[in-house]
Amino acid sequence: MTETAEFEIKKIERSRISEVDFNNIPFGKVYADHMFVADFENGEWKNMRIEPYGDLSISPANATLHYGQSVFEGLKAYKNKAGEILIFRPEANAKRMIVSAERMCIPPISEEFFMSALTALLKVDSAWVPGQENTSLYIRPVVFADDPYVGIRPSETYKFLIFTAPVGAYYSEPVNVKIETKYTRAVAGGVGYAKTAGNYAASLYPALQAQKEGYHQLIWTDGQTHEFVEEAGTMNLLFLINDTLVTAPTGDSILNGITRDSVLTLAKDWGMKVEEKRLSVKELEAALKAGEVKEAFGAGTAATIAKIHKIGYNGVDYVLPEEKPLSDKLFDTLDKIKLGEIEDTHGWVYKV
Ligand SMILES: *Cc1c(COP(=O)(O)O)cnc(C)c1O
């Protein structure tokens, strides 16, 4: 299933690309001309096609609208100086979507199917991958239950879509985060490790409360005791404590981020001390008080590395050092790998 020829391709009559100012792209509002669509019916994926990006028609009883049986992914494509299109670790996203789908009783999209659909779509919309510095084409695969049925059971029909959006330079100031010890994002035995809709809906209210207190994001702690640091909800978290890079091990309540894995791999390549361990809030607080937390950052596809300015806990804000050389080096190295500007020793870059 690697030939793109087997997908029916219906092209848009008139491209919208000339209406887009690629030097000033608003995030998540502009979508490329086409989308990939497939239907799951009678136990198999069928009707695989590329068609103009546009609205879908959904039954009011659609199972996803009511019960959130869906999974998604997020990845990015880049244009290098030679005009080639490179995608960062798409096979890892394909594998993770299979893991998420299993938890949500969604029929899996094989890695081969995922890659061929992605490749075909990117070929059709290659002009939409921006080439300006720090820009990319954000890619959103999603699979959702499509039964027009309000009973609760796994759906019998699904849709698999991939659509894309050019995104502009993502520069953000270092963020302020608060250690959350009341609300819970994910619990042992739950769905925190799956990229599924409900995890994000559940996080909105606590995040809004923190924003009222002046924080950008939360540091989630474990659901049982609220004593251990987990992740940020769209990013994994890493702390440089003295000279050791520390992050929580992934498990059923933490999403297995591809950026996190890339960061850990690079840090090990550089000979750094890396510890995947349960980091208690007490230990983090003591390290913050002692000035041992040299840097802290979120790792995720959207920002790659989101530097943390201050961490709030129990009404006290701990400001981290202004110089963040490790965060900068990681961001810069990942950026260059994604653009093929330095050697890709781990086979992370996929050329469309
Ligand atoms: C997507 C996501 C991340 C980051 O994963 P990447 O593969 O690095 O983009 C981290 N946490 C959650 C909850 C996520 O949904």
Side-chain angles (χ1 to χ4, degrees):
M1 208 187 278
T2 48
E3 290 305 312
T4 59
E6 72 187 85
F7 301 136
E8 188 192 320
I9 299 180
K10 188 173 145 217
K11 287 215 176 154
I12 200 164
E13 277 177 26
R14 202 181 69 84
S15 173
R16 290 178 281 100
I17 200 164
S18 62
E19 297 160 22
V20 180
D21 174 4
F22 279 90
N23 292 309
N24 188 11
I25 315 166
F27 181 81
K29 294 201 173 139
V30 179
Y31 296 98
D33 282 332
H34 298 91
M35 60 185 182
F36 179 88
V37 189
D39 305 310
F40 188 87
E41 288 165 12
N42 301 320
E44 59 176 344
W45 287 105
K46 51 175 73 160
N47 309 329
M48 297 159 192
R49 61 205 187 265
I50 289 171
E51 59 184 42
Y53 174 87
D55 293 348
L56 305 169
S57 167
I58 298 280
S59 160
N62 172 279
T64 303
L65 292 182
H66 301 271
Y67 309 125
Q69 196 198 356
S70 68
V71 294
F72 68 95
E73 270 303 327
L75 61 164
K76 284 178 172 174
Y78 303 82
K79 193 169 274 172
N80 67 12
K81 291 206 176 82
E84 293 167 325
I85 291 167
L86 308 175
I87 311 181
F88 188 68
R89 305 190 69 179
E91 298 92 347
N93 294 92
K95 290 192 173 91
R96 186 169 66 193
M97 201 161 79
I98 293 170
V99 173
S100 297
E102 183 182 26
R103 181 64 177 85
M104 305 312 294
C105 299
I106 289 175
I109 303 292
S110 72
E111 188 178 329
E112 202 184 19
F113 178 18
F114 183 100
M115 290 303 299
S116 60
L118 180 63
T119 306
L121 180 66
L122 271 271
K123 282 190 171 151
V124 171
D125 277 339
S126 60
W128 285 85
V129 185
Q132 288 86 343
E133 200 180 335
N134 285 328
T135 62
S136 59
L137 188 73
Y138 183 77
I139 303 165
R140 172 51 65 92
V142 56
V143 187
F144 63 89
D146 201 24
D147 278 5
Y149 176 62
V150 290
I152 297 190
R153 55 144 171 76
S155 187
E156 285 165 2
T157 60
Y158 296 84
K159 268 197 159 55
F160 169 35
L161 308 178
I162 307 177
F163 58 94
T164 67
V167 290
Y170 187 107
Y171 177 75
S172 65
E173 293 290 321
V175 292
N176 301 332
V177 296
K178 182 190 140 182
I179 298 177
E180 177 61 61
T181 51
K182 178 180 175 197
Y183 298 104
T184 299
R185 187 192 90 91
V187 293
V191 298
Y193 69 95
K195 246 177 153 61
T196 185
N199 285 331
Y200 307 88
S203 71
L204 297 176
Y205 180 80
L208 211 57
Q209 307 313 306
Q211 280 161 23
K212 286 182 190 156
E213 298 170 39
Y215 299 98
H216 300 99
Q217 295 205 26
L218 294 174
I219 293 182
W220 294 104
T221 51
D222 71 286
Q224 276 86 9
T225 65
H226 294 298
E227 279 173 16
F228 292 92
V229 170
E230 296 213 317
E231 60 154 310
T234 57
M235 295 187 295
N236 296 106
L237 288 171
L238 297 97
F239 302 87
L240 182 62
I241 303 180
N242 292 318
D243 58 356
T244 305
L245 188 61
V246 180
T247 190
T250 57
D252 55 6
S253 61
I254 297 183
L255 192 114
N256 188 0
I258 295 160
T259 316
R260 171 190 180 278
D261 180 74
S262 308
V263 164
L264 294 179
T265 303
L266 289 177
K268 286 175 195 161
D269 285 356
W270 297 339
M272 287 184 66
K273 279 187 244 166
V274 172
E275 269 185 38
E276 290 182 64
K277 66 160 192 182
R278 292 193 87 197
L279 174 63
S280 74
V281 176
K282 275 208 180 76
E283 184 182 346
L284 179 61
E285 187 189 25
L288 286 164
K289 285 197 164 127
E292 291 169 357
V293 182
K294 308 299 180 195
E295 297 184 41
F297 54 89
T301 294
T304 310
I305 301 292
K307 297 187 253 187
I308 293 176
H309 171 56
K310 71 183 185 192
I311 299 176
Y313 177 61
N314 259 348
V316 183
D317 283 338
Y318 299 92
V319 176
L320 299 183
E322 208 157 304
E323 296 289 310
K324 302 175 192 308
L326 177 64
S327 304
D328 292 335
K329 185 178 173 191
L330 284 163
F331 180 87
D332 194 57
T333 305
L334 285 168
D335 196 51
K336 291 202 166 91
I337 294 173
K338 289 169 181 180
L339 288 167
E341 288 171 7
I342 55 178
E343 204 193 337
D344 171 28
T345 54
H346 298 285
W348 286 342
V349 175
Y350 173 81
K351 199 187 288 184
V352 172

